[in-house]
Amino acid sequence: MADEPQKKPHLSALVGHTNGLTKPASLAAATRAGGGGGGSATASSKKLVIKNFRERPKLPDNYTQDTWQKLHEAVGAIQSSISIKYNLEELYQAVENLCSYKVSATLYKQLRQVCEDHVKAQILQFREYPFLVCCTDSLDSLLFLKKINKCWQDHCRQMIMIRSIFLFLDRTYVLQNSMLPSIWDMGLELFRNHVISDKQVQNKTIDGILLLIERERSGEAVDRSLLRSLLSMLSDLQQVYKESFEQRFLEETNCLYAAEGQRLMQEREVPEYLHHVNKRLEEEGDRVITYLDHSTQKPLIACVEKQLLGEHLSAILQKGLDSLLDENRISDLTQTYQLFSRVKGGQQILLQHWSEYIKNFGTTIVVNPEKDKDMVQELLDFKDKVDHIIEVCFQKNEKFINLMKESFETLINKRPNKPAELIAKYVDSKLRAGNKEATDEELERILDKIMIIFRFIHGKDVFEAFYKKDLAKRLLVGKSASVDAEKSMLSKLKHECGAAFTSKLEGMFKDMELSKDVMVQFKQYMQNQSDPGNIDLTVNILTMGYWPTYTPMEVHLNSEMIKLQEVFKTFYLGKHSGRKLQWQTTLGHAVLKAEFKEGKKEFQVSLFQTLVLLMFNEGDEFSFEEIKMATGVEDSELRRTLQSLACGKARVLVKNPKGKDVEDGDKFIFNGDFKHKLFRIKINQIQMKETVEEQVSTTERVFQDRQYQIDAAIVRIMKMRKTLGHNLLVSELYNQLKFPVKPGDLKKRIESLIDRDYMERDKDNPNQYHYVA
């Protein structure tokens, strides 16, 4: 038999009692039992249903009024800084209960009114302040600032406590009404409207803050925590900081640094002034970190930079940059670059002065003929100096690097041709035997530096001419310090200027290597001769097109030398028929053995010196005229040769009468008493030294070669274009020619080609040219 289902009773109760307030709640449950067959009962699933009260419980009479009274008392206690007689949790719960019964709007208005009344009352203490209106004393100002700061701190503390009690109101009603400020923001608004917006209070507060900052800037110690608190107050009160404080602060800062910049630029040297600027920037940056609002940083620093730097950029550089660069003041130059980089246009004006300095200083090195001896070394030292400044002081700035290169190119070409000539001679001095200044690694570094300077010169053909002449001397006289260094320099030139530039120089090395092979064969040939002779002859076979042009000089060789020349000629032409040998006596040199009272000596001498000294095997005394007749050496060359033998350090001959110059009629006597600490003595080969005539000759050959190159370029262009205007032709020539040339020189070459019928003028337009096939 199945059981009948039973209905559960309806249960309801009031739960949650706090301060006489009951929170409504309803609890109802129903269960249904279901029976099954088989004489056994099983429980069906149960369902729990919760229902609300049909009517909301009413608040006790006067509950809202009594509760607000408690809250009002608590707020008043907080504002009066006395203890609250109610439990804070109890007050918080009271606010929550009121909010639950839709009295939030009234509660917010009441709270605002209480706070507003209190804040309004605060202004009275400042209006009654005896020195509020008329007070300039800094002590009184400080007392005022402390008073306003205490008022602000008290207000903040009070609002924090009030908000903690009314937190439920803040997080529900206020949060849901976007038009209402939060309790904290309401407190800020009230303080701003009723205290800080008072003109007298605001002015006095900002005046006091500015006075403290002014005193700190002048070096006095001030209460920074007070400044931080007050400026934080102005910042928290929204637009008060920006509109009332910051504007005045920046104006006063501007005036201060404008006056300071003008005064200190007159009083201080540039390094000292820049140090002061740097110090001021650091100080202002520290103020932003310590007590100013972060938003003030950009306009404040910009103000300092403008007044202390931007207004004086040219004056600073004109007054002190040259001396800083002259004295290589690295730290001061670094500071200059860093400071100028902060100001708009600062780097650009520094670049201009930097370029002018390089050009002016470098030009004094290049254009002064008295400095020619040391020109290249001074340029290298100057280049090292500016490179170091760019790397250390200017942070490897590409603009400074590029402008430095342009400036060097300008200054080194202020004097055409001479720098190119002197660079070639400098390389010669470094690659010549006897240069003990540098190891192989140091020599390589010097050559690298030389190539940097070499890149700047326009007349590279002048360098080539003098380099080739000096290289020839080093190779022929065996005066090259290192074959590896020579090959390295050649490789650098080839990389810089191309294979065409170095083809003749490479040909010179090839000739020297071939000559060694020829001499091995010649010595074998001589061993098979019946009379090999007493002279050990070495000959260098030079291809005429590779080597500098030498003026042949006919001299009177002795019979044994002439015989050896003929033997070599027979040997060589027997192997290479159709060739012609031309002997260059000016390049010859020899080693002579001589006997003196002190003993035997060996002399390293030129061929001309050899011919003169060999005469004294036939006699002890000869006149200038007799020597000239016997040797056949040209007059000026002979005078230099005799000068080297009789007037130098190693005086193998004695001149009579004594004197530095060799005159007609002078007599020369063999010096049997000659003494020297060395066994092998090198007598200065004056004929190997470059004379003014040789310099002029080399330069003239370069100019002659340039004329040929100009002519070839004109013909090449006209052959391709057939007809061309004068200006276009000149423009194309400038693009093709690799050396500097003046328009007047080009015009002369064009006229020359017209005269030689390579081209002709147009009959109707004299500025138009036609190619003549």
Side-chain angles (χ1 to χ4, degrees), residues 46 84 138 182 184 193 201 220 253 297 306 337 352 358-359 371 483 526 567 580 641 658 686:
K46 298 177 181 180
I84 307 169
S138 61
S182 67
W184 175 257
N193 292 343
V201 174
E220 293 183 45
T253 301
Q297 180 177 16
K306 180 177 184 294
Y337 174 80
Q352 293 168 4
I358 293 174
K359 285 189 274 194
K371 288 193 173 185
V483 175
M526 287 299 291
V567 170
K580 181 182 178 183
T641 301
K658 292 181 179 181
I686 289 180

Side-chain angles (χ1 to χ4, degrees), residues 4 75 141 169 257 278 326 445 639 642 660 666 717:
E4 282 292 324
V75 171
S141 177
L169 175 70
Y257 287 126
N278 207 46
D326 287 341
R445 281 199 295 272
R639 289 180 194 274
L642 288 169
K660 289 184 178 180
D666 285 355
I717 293 167

Side-chain angles (χ1 to χ4, degrees), residues 335-398:
Q335 189 172 59
T336 303
Y337 174 80
Q338 290 171 347
L339 290 173
F340 273 61
S341 297
R342 300 178 68 137
V343 186
K344 186 179 180 181
Q347 265 197 19
Q348 191 58 41
I349 197 167
L350 181 57
L351 269 170
Q352 293 168 4
H353 280 76
W354 162 250
S355 174
E356 287 304 313
Y357 174 81
I358 293 174
K359 285 189 274 194
N360 292 338
F361 189 92
T363 301
T364 61
I365 298 172
V366 171
V367 300
N368 187 357
E370 294 177 4
K371 288 193 173 185
D372 282 0
K373 184 180 177 183
D374 302 314
M375 178 200 291
V376 179
Q377 187 59 56
E378 286 191 24
L379 283 174
L380 289 173
D381 293 343
F382 183 49
K383 179 68 168 54
D384 283 344
K385 175 181 170 179
V386 297
D387 283 345
H388 182 68
I389 290 170
I390 287 174
E391 183 173 356
V392 178
C393 307
F394 299 160
Q395 299 175 2
K396 300 180 183 178
N397 188 314
E398 283 292 329

Side-chain angles (χ1 to χ4, degrees), residues 572-591:
Y572 185 77
L573 295 180
K575 285 182 171 293
H576 305 280
S577 60
R579 293 189 181 180
K580 181 182 178 183
L581 288 177
Q582 185 182 71
W583 296 90
Q584 293 289 350
T585 53
T586 54
L587 303 175
H589 56 96
V591 176

Side-chain angles (χ1 to χ4, degrees), residues 82-146:
I82 59 176
S83 60
I84 307 169
K85 61 183 181 182
Y86 302 104
N87 182 284
L88 289 177
E89 188 178 351
E90 181 183 337
L91 294 171
Y92 178 88
Q93 190 64 57
V95 172
E96 186 177 344
N97 291 336
L98 288 175
C99 290
S100 299
Y101 278 89
K102 308 296 183 185
V103 290
S104 300
T106 304
L107 186 60
Y108 183 83
K109 288 177 184 176
Q110 288 172 324
L111 176 61
R112 180 184 174 91
Q113 190 61 50
V114 170
C115 293
E116 187 169 15
D117 291 342
H118 175 73
V119 172
K120 280 182 178 179
Q122 298 306 305
I123 196 66
L124 298 176
Q125 63 178 316
F126 299 109
R127 286 183 174 155
E128 293 165 2
Y129 212 50
F131 45 80
L132 176 61
V133 179
C134 183
C135 167
T136 55
D137 184 84
S138 61
L139 180 60
D140 289 344
S141 177
L142 183 61
L143 290 173
F144 176 85
L145 291 180
K146 286 181 178 179

Side-chain angles (χ1 to χ4, degrees), residues 473 476-479 585-591 603-610 637 640-645 681-691 694:
K473 288 182 181 179
L476 296 175
V477 189
K479 290 177 69 176
T585 53
T586 54
L587 303 175
H589 56 96
V591 176
F603 294 112
Q604 250 184 299
V605 286
S606 69
L607 180 61
F608 298 156
Q609 290 169 327
T610 301
E637 194 67 54
R640 287 199 298 273
T641 301
L642 288 169
Q643 208 173 12
S644 69
L645 294 170
I681 304 144
K682 178 186 168 192
I683 298 178
N684 187 24
Q685 300 174 24
I686 289 180
Q687 100 279 7
M688 292 302 289
K689 284 189 175 180
E690 190 174 56
T691 62
E694 284 178 315

Side-chain angles (χ1 to χ4, degrees), residues 517-529 571 575:
D517 296 338
V518 170
M519 290 317 298
V520 170
Q521 297 170 14
F522 179 65
K523 290 189 187 307
Q524 292 173 348
Y525 176 81
M526 287 299 291
Q527 289 173 359
N528 299 326
Q529 298 295 310
F571 157 77
K575 285 182 171 293

